Each structure stands twice: as structure tokens, then as C-alpha cells.
Amino acid sequence: MATVSAQNLTMDFAGKILFHDVCFEVHPGEHAGLIGANGTGKTTLFKLIKGELEATEGNLFISKNIKVGYLEQHACAGSKRAVIDEAISVFEPLMRIEAELDEIALSIDDRMGDIQTLIERQQELYEKFEAQGGLTYKSRTRSALLGLGFEERDLFIPCDKLSGGQRSKLSMCKLLLSDSDLLLLDEPTNHLDIAATEWLESFLLAFKGSVIVISHDRYFLDKVTDKTLELSHGVMHSSKGGYTRYMQLKEERIESERRRYENEMAEIKRLEAMIAKQIEFGQERNYITIESKKKMIERKKAALVVPEGRSAAVRIKFNPVAQTGNEVLNVTSLTKSFSDKTLFENAELHIRKGERAFILGPNGCGKTTFLRILTKQVSPDWGSFSFGANVKTGYFDQSLENITGGKTVIDEIWDEHKSFTETTVRNYLAMFLFRGDDVFKQVDNLSGGEKAKLCLLKLMLSGANVLLLDEPTNHLDIPSREALEDSLSDFDGTVIAVSHDRYFINKLASRIYHLTKEGFEKSDGGYDDYIQRLATNALVKETKAAPKVNEYKLRKERESEINRLKGKISRGEAKIDELDAEISALNDALSTPEISSDYNKLMETTQKIEELTAEQEALMNEWEQWNLRLGELTE
């Protein structure tokens, strides 16, 4: 049975059909990527699944007893609890059981109440506590926070002191720990660096429940999804496989639809020509044939499937005003610190014409600061940098602060290019999907994606031959990212970019520079090449570090350990049997009148049974470990 099932969903907003006749299913354990351009209704579909909205038409079914978890954007806003306390609050039911177990233990120690009833309640609660993960919930919470990029010292910061990105990570942590059966993730990687994104990928790959994830991160989608749902032109298409596989199948589907459409249109035109000829020659006796062919044409037109058109996408063309020399940028001994934290020191970098260099590193390592040093917004503590001859830089700021604000969209461009006519400005804005009255929107009211497009237009019009890009894909949907990739591929200049978008990096990078405290580490090629090189270097390092071994000595030590383990296992089994006999005898004694009628003897016997049982369980755990180890040694 499907976890989520949609049948003919239609959503109408004020007379505008957002999507219609949407049908899809997500089964237990399936991880589905939900893609589509901004504004196609992806987040609305999430709200329908959560029950916040009702569809205009159609039905949506959620399987019985399914717990739905949703990544809330402002879940931790206003909380004054420490990060660790806020995260662990998802386990409040377990914490209540733990508190009650502590109270029962104190009552038993103080001999308060009906001891037998307390013991039974204690056993019942402990089994429930253990079954629901009570023994590991604290360590799992800490591991999740650290995996998502928090440091140990961050765990005790009050939530109201966190940045927006940190609050998003905390919300993500709570969701992942919530024991939901269905996770709805809306752009989960937006505030994550590559290390945290890879941790999230590992978590989701191990997650046994269902997932629907809205994301423009194509590398992430390929990693964690096994099904793709696309909202496009108001309808839903779906297929098995991640993003890349879906796009291959989509191209095949559209080509098949195009050929079928052309064949049907050719047949319709042929039939129409035959009818025209028969009418022209006045062959009235063929009236029945003519009517038959007209009905055939009507049926064909009614069944005709028009091939899916391409969604409107931005058109970007970077045209440098001049050519640079071969030497574009030289950085020497660059050092930068803030307060007592050193970001990097003695950084060296040499960029040549035509290079597409990507700077990688965890959040907070100084990547944005490095670009701001190059744009002279920040001064280095030490070292120097120089651009080569004829270099004209253009900067894309991830915070989108190079938009003035307080203006309309058209004035934002026109004020910087006063020689342009209104038609020219409108034509450029139309290339970035600002059409009609959109050009009179207030810049301050634009969405993040619209502001990013406006910044890219300003960058395009700058004529820069060296582009400094800080997370340029952050606010862009997939079609806009692809348009940017194509334009940068054709760009006859030099690119220096900071990005966490691994698909984007793979497509464009000619070289990767990993920023550390000690400076830059260089790696040729794209992201996959970089990861492969890291793995190879780690393996070489591990091999070099491994000490030479004496095979004879190792064999003798293994044989000795095998003999010791066999002895332990044999003695352990004997002791377990001995304890079993003692526990059985004491249990039999409990039912005798001599003990059952004497409260003190009853408690002593019960206590003895508990002690022996605990000893037996501990010994059985050791026995299991000895057997596992023996199995490893004798394989």
C-alpha cells in the first residue's frame, strides 16, 4: 500500500490553475525527488500532503498510522533553550519514561510503596524505553548536530542567538530525529556546506521510511532519490530513478511525443486534402466518405497530444569588454584573522586566463572573506594580491547586497546604464524573465530567485572578463542553473567561484582549490576528480603509515588468541548453565509457603534472582562478543 497516493489533484488559486489532474504514488521506503521551476506548485503540494490546504478537485490519501515530518523554516525561532536541549526535545516521551524510571528506582531503594508492583512497572517501562531507542537517543542527537556542522561549543548556545542558517540546521536535526515515517524536505541543502550535505545524504540513504524532497541540488537528488516527480506546465510526470536518469527519459519521452504529433498532424493534413479534392470536383456521391473522414479527423484532433514545450528560462551571455593577459591573478602570503580566529595564512594562488577555478571548504573557513579581499571590501592582515593586465572584475555576492533597494526593477538597471533606451532595458530584463508589469516591481519585494537573476543581469552588463562568483546558484531553480552553466561554459574569460553545488562544480571546474588554515590545496578537474584524489591520497597515506608486520608473529598471536577465546567460551557456557540452574531453583523457591509468606525472605530471594539474572545477561553479552571475535579470526 502506498504511503502517499494522489488521484486527479487540481489546484486553483483565484481562477488560475496551478496544476491539474496530478496523479502519483510514493511507496514505503521510496525516496522521491520533487522537481520543477519556481512557482509550479511544489510547496503547495507539500501543504496538501500536510493537510494545510485542500485541493480544488481530486483526492490525496496518506496511509493509516503514518507520521509525517516536515522541515519547518522557523521551528526554533524565539526559543531560548540551548541547541542540544532544543534538539533533544523531540525525545520528550522517552525523557518522561527516563524520569519515571529514576523515581521508581528511588522508591525501591527507600522501600516506599508496593515493591513488587514497582518492580513490575520498572520492567515494563525499561522494555519500552529500550525498544524506542532510549539507550542511544542522547548520543544520536549529538551525532546529528555535529554531522550537520555544529561544533561542540555551539551545542550550548541559546537558540535565539543562532543565525538563520544555524536555525535551519537545528530544524533539520529535529526532523531527522523525529521518528517520522514520511519526511517532507523543502530545499534541505540550502544552508549546508558540502560536508554537512554528505552527512545528510548518508542519513537519508540509511533511512527506511519514505521521503519526498524538493531540491534544485541535482547532485544531491542523484545521490538520495530513486524516483522523480516533476511538476511542469501544470501537469505531473514521474519515473523511476534520480534526476539525471529522469532527464534522459524525459528527453526520450518528449522526442517520442514530437514524432507521434508530427505523424498525426501529417495524417490529418492528408485527410483534409482528400476531402478538399472531393469537394472541389463536386463528387456528391462521396458525401458519406467525406463525412466519415471528417469524423476521423475530429477523433484524431481530440486524441492529439501536443508535445511538451520548454519552460521559459533565463538567457545569459557574458561578453567581456576586453581580453586579459595570460596572468590573471597572483596571491602571495595572504593571511586573515578575525579576533582570535585565524581563517587562513600564507595563502598562495596563481590564476591564468581561461581558468575556471572553484574554491571549496567548510562553512566559516574564509571563502567569502577571500573573495571580499579580492574586491577590496575587506583588508588582509598580511600578504598581497595583484590582478594582471586589462582585468575587469565582476562580483556576484551571495547575500545579494549589490542591489541598491528602494527602486523598481527597471530603474535598478537603467540607473547604471543611462545610455540605454527603455526598449533596450526591457529587452534585457525579458532575458531574465522580467516581463510586462514585472519591470515595475519594487526590488525589495522580489523573491530570492528574482533578486539573484537581477544580480546576474547586472553582472552580465558589466562587461567583466574575470567573474568572482560567491554561491551564484543558491537561489536559482534548475533551469536557471543550467542556463548559467551554459553561459559560463561559453564565457571567453576567467571564473573564480565559491560554490557548494557539486553538479555545477563538476560541469564547469577546470581546477579546485581547497581552502584550509594553511592556505590552498590544488586539484585539477571537477568535483568527482577531487573526491577521487582525496580517497587515493588517504589510501596512500594509510599504506605508508602502516608499520611492517611480522607474518609469523601475527599467525602465532592469532592462534594464541583463538585458543584463549575457545577456553573463555567453554568456561562461559558452563557458568551460564550454572547461573541458569541457580535462577531456576530460586524461582521455584518463590512459590513455597516458607518464602512467599515471609516478606523479608521474598525480597531477599527476588533481589538474588535479579543479581544472578544481571550477571547471566552480562556474561551472555561477553560470550556473544567472544564468538563474534572467534568467527573473525577463523574466517
Side-chain angles (χ1 to χ4, degrees), residues 26 30 42-43 69 99 208 228 273 291 316 323 340 399 408 435 443 456 464 482 508 554 568 621 628 630:
V26 176
E30 268 190 330
K42 302 184 297 297
T43 299
K208 302 301 182 186
T228 301
E291 287 302 311
I316 311 172
Q323 294 293 313
D340 58 345
S399 62
T408 62
R435 299 188 176 112
V443 169
L456 285 173
E482 290 174 343
L508 292 171
L554 282 178
K568 281 185 175 181
N621 287 333
L628 286 172
L630 182 61

Side-chain angles (χ1 to χ4, degrees), residues 38 314 396 400 432 434 446-456 472 474-477 480:
N38 289 340
V314 297
F396 182 95
L400 310 178
F432 287 77
F434 294 101
L446 297 180
S447 67
E450 289 172 322
K451 286 180 180 178
K453 289 171 188 173
L454 196 57
C455 286
L456 285 173
N474 262 8
H475 300 280
L476 301 180
D477 57 19
S480 299

Side-chain angles (χ1 to χ4, degrees), residues 572 575-590 603-622:
K575 183 62 176 176
I576 288 168
D577 289 341
E578 181 185 322
L579 289 169
D580 201 47
E582 284 188 60
I583 292 168
S584 180
L586 288 171
N587 277 317
D588 290 342
L590 284 174
M603 291 310 303
E604 286 173 9
T605 305
T606 302
Q607 182 69 25
K608 183 65 175 174
I609 290 171
E610 287 178 2
E611 290 171 1
L612 292 174
T613 301
E615 184 182 351
Q616 187 185 49
E617 286 178 357
L619 189 54
M620 287 177 74
N621 287 333
E622 286 187 85

